[in-house]
């Protein structure tokens, strides 16, 4: 039978509890076999030399016989494993054992996992991988309407889709957060974006996104944090300048494998969606953020033809440098008025 692995970004699921203990497993074996295994385990425990190895081997054999007996007596089975990325080392052997039995028994293993590294068996020819992308904009609008219990206007739906990447969990939690902080309000019979809310990462998603970022190697976390200072889209060369250290050749490919960033046009990269950007930004110490904003503003001022006054001013403000930010803001406002901008 096939082994199926679904790649999903975020799932609101619980870890599958471990099957019954070995005493329960023995109940499925004929009495003579169970007794023999008990003796084997006792004998293994009685030896100080290599006792741990013998016990593990005995228990592994017992688990294998348990699975085989269960399949032989109970018929076809579907084993569902949610959140495979959280599989603990003590459970790896049992999962591998079950997967190894799929060619010989009426057994299907259905596993879900976030993007990233997967067990070796997920690459076998008998394994089918189905990648689940985000909802498109109309689907996001429908889900947002269901959560808000009212139709969301087109601009609001577009903003929610851009911010969440169509991830259903992110859409639902973002809509709830926007309703609570006033970013979404009733207007002309619709729920519309007001622009008055904080638009922070919903508290219900902070742990989810923080865990994904914390699972990265330290160097990858640093790259992601520096990139968040630049914005939703960024160039690797700018990240490297702010890091003061050479980037690994595959630094962004590694982040892309974890579905945190995506290739963009013109050799640039972009965060998969705004919530990941905001979570990476929030993960930086305030002092580190101010320093990086100041350094980025210095860099932009050296290339004024490539940067707007408002962008430089925004980084000066974020750096806490009011003395240099205020003149830039004044100049940016005068420039905007000269172009006919009215706010």
């Amino acid at each position: 039978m096939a082994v199926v692995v679904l790649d999903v970004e975020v799932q609101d699921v619980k870890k599958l509890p471990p099957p019954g203990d070995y005493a329960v497993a023995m109940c499925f074996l004929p009495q003579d076999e169970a007794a023999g295994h008990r003796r084997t385990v006792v004998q293994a425990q009685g030896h100080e030399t290599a006792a741990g190895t013998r016990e593990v081997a005995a228990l592994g054999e017992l688990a294998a016989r348990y699975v085989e007996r269960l399949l032989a007596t109970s018929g076809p089975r579907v084993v569902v494993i949610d959140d495979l990325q959280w599989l603990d080392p003590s459970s790896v052997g049992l999962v591998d054992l079950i997967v190894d039995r799929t060619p010989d028994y009426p057994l299907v293993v259905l596993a879900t996992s976030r993007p990233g590294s997967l067990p070796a068996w997920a690459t076998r020819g008998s394994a089918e991988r189905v990648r689940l992308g985000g909802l498109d904009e109309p689907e996001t609008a429908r889900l947002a309407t269901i959560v808000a219990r009212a139709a969301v206007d087109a601009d609001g739906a577009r903003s929610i889709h851009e911010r969440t990447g169509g991830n259903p969990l992110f859409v639902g939690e973002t809509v709830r957060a926007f309703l609570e902080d006033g970013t979404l309000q009733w207007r002309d019979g619709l729920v519309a974006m007001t622009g008055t809310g904080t638009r922070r990462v919903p508290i219900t998603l902070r742990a989810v996104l923080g865990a994904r970022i914390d699972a990265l190697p330290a160097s990858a976390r640093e790259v992601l944090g520096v990139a968040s200072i630049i914005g939703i889209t960024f160039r690797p060369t700018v990240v490297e300048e702010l890091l003061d250290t050479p980037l690994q050749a595959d630094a962004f490919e590694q982040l892309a494998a974890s579905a945190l960033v995506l290739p963009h046009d013109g050799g640039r990269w972009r965060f998969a969606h705004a919530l990941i950007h905001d979570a990476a930004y929030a993960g930086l110490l305030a002092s580190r953020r101010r320093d990086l904003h100041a350094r980025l503003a210095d860099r932009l001022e050296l290339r004024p033809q490539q940067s707007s006054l408002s962008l430089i001013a925004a980084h000066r403000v974020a750096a806490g440098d009011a003395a240099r930010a205020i003149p830039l803001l004044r100049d940016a406002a005068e420039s905007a008025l000269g172009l006919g901008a009215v706010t």
Side-chain angles (χ1 to χ4, degrees):
M1 303 295 287
V3 177
V4 184
V5 179
L6 301 181
D7 283 349
V8 295
E9 285 194 4
V10 173
Q11 285 283 16
D12 185 17
V13 293
K14 298 178 180 178
K15 286 189 65 178
L16 189 69
D21 59 24
Y22 288 106
V24 175
M26 290 182 186
C27 293
F28 283 87
L29 297 172
Q31 289 300 311
D32 57 338
E33 294 184 34
H37 283 291
R38 286 197 191 96
R39 285 195 297 272
T40 302
V41 173
V42 170
Q43 290 170 0
Q45 291 174 334
H47 285 77
E48 294 183 4
T49 304
T53 302
R54 293 187 182 184
E55 182 177 346
V56 169
L59 293 177
E61 181 185 354
L62 178 59
R65 298 297 297 275
Y66 167 49
V67 170
E68 293 169 359
R69 179 66 61 177
L70 182 65
L71 293 172
T73 58
S74 302
R77 290 274 172 154
V78 176
V79 177
V80 180
I81 306 174
D82 287 323
D83 275 339
L84 190 64
Q85 74 278 356
W86 297 124
L87 186 65
D88 59 279
S90 63
S91 302
V92 170
L94 180 59
V95 173
D96 289 347
L97 185 153
I98 293 173
V99 171
D100 289 341
R101 295 302 185 273
T102 57
D104 304 316
Y105 292 91
L107 172 65
V108 172
V109 176
L110 177 63
T112 65
S113 178
R114 294 175 188 165
S117 60
L118 292 171
W121 50 259
T123 61
R124 295 177 185 174
S126 59
E128 179 181 353
R129 294 179 61 179
V130 180
R131 298 182 181 275
L132 302 181
L135 303 175
D136 59 24
E137 192 172 312
E139 292 170 336
T140 298
R142 285 197 290 274
L143 178 56
T145 295
I146 292 171
V147 175
R149 298 184 179 180
V152 179
D153 71 353
D155 289 341
R158 186 178 308 109
S159 177
I160 292 169
H161 182 262
E162 290 174 354
R163 184 166 178 76
T164 64
N167 182 296
L169 174 62
F170 291 3
V171 171
E173 296 303 325
T174 297
V175 170
R176 293 185 185 95
F178 280 3
L179 289 171
E180 290 177 1
D181 69 15
T183 301
L184 280 175
Q185 294 184 3
W186 280 94
R187 180 186 296 169
D188 300 327
L190 298 173
V191 176
M193 302 285 285
T194 66
T196 59
T198 59
R199 302 198 189 186
R200 296 176 181 171
V201 179
I203 191 170
T204 49
L205 297 181
R206 290 178 193 171
V208 174
L209 295 172
R212 290 180 62 183
I213 294 173
D214 289 344
L216 297 170
S219 58
R221 290 198 304 271
E222 177 70 3
V223 168
L224 199 68
V226 170
S228 73
I229 294 294
I230 302 169
I232 296 291
T233 60
F234 52 88
R235 294 185 182 278
T237 53
V238 181
V239 174
E240 192 166 37
E241 287 182 25
L242 294 178
L243 280 172
D244 282 335
T245 56
L247 280 172
Q248 294 182 8
D250 61 345
F252 293 105
E253 285 74 9
Q254 291 180 19
L255 293 173
S258 298
L260 297 172
V261 301
L262 301 169
H264 199 50
D265 59 335
R268 296 182 297 170
W269 289 80
R270 69 182 302 275
F271 282 86
H273 35 73
L275 286 172
I276 290 178
H277 167 270
D278 293 352
Y281 186 85
L284 293 170
L285 292 174
S287 57
R288 176 66 169 156
R289 286 200 298 264
R290 289 193 296 270
D291 177 64
L292 288 169
H293 277 295
R295 292 172 59 192
L296 181 55
D298 291 342
R299 179 190 183 280
L300 295 176
E301 286 183 341
L302 294 175
R303 303 170 176 82
Q305 70 280 4
Q306 300 177 10
S307 309
S308 65
L309 286 174
S310 59
L311 179 60
I312 299 173
H315 286 294
R316 290 296 182 200
V317 170
D321 190 350
R324 301 174 73 178
I326 291 173
L328 287 169
L329 290 169
R330 184 185 300 113
D331 292 344
E334 291 175 354
S335 177
L337 287 173
L339 293 174
V342 179
T343 59

